[in-house]
Amino acid sequence: MEPQQHVPAPGDDLEVDVALGRLVFGWLLVGAPLAYGVITTLSRVGQLFN
């Protein structure tokens, strides 16, 4: 048997764009507070050694 090839439908690229948008939005929701927490923690640790 030969593997079936995927023939893209006219709306396939839209699904990828939506998935990529959701991925970026999710990383922004998680990454922004995470980055804030890391920066705050590192600044407080730095103050301990001053």
Side-chain angles (χ1 to χ4, degrees):
M1 291 185 146
E2 293 182 24
Q4 294 181 349
Q5 294 183 356
H6 175 70
V7 179
D12 276 357
D13 58 343
L14 180 63
E15 293 177 12
V16 173
D17 291 341
V18 170
L20 182 61
R22 286 183 180 175
L23 181 66
V24 169
F25 183 67
W27 271 107
L28 285 175
L29 283 178
V30 172
L34 181 64
Y36 175 76
V38 169
I39 291 170
T40 303
T41 301
L42 290 178
S43 67
R44 287 184 182 180
V45 168
Q47 289 174 354
L48 289 175
F49 293 103
N50 284 338

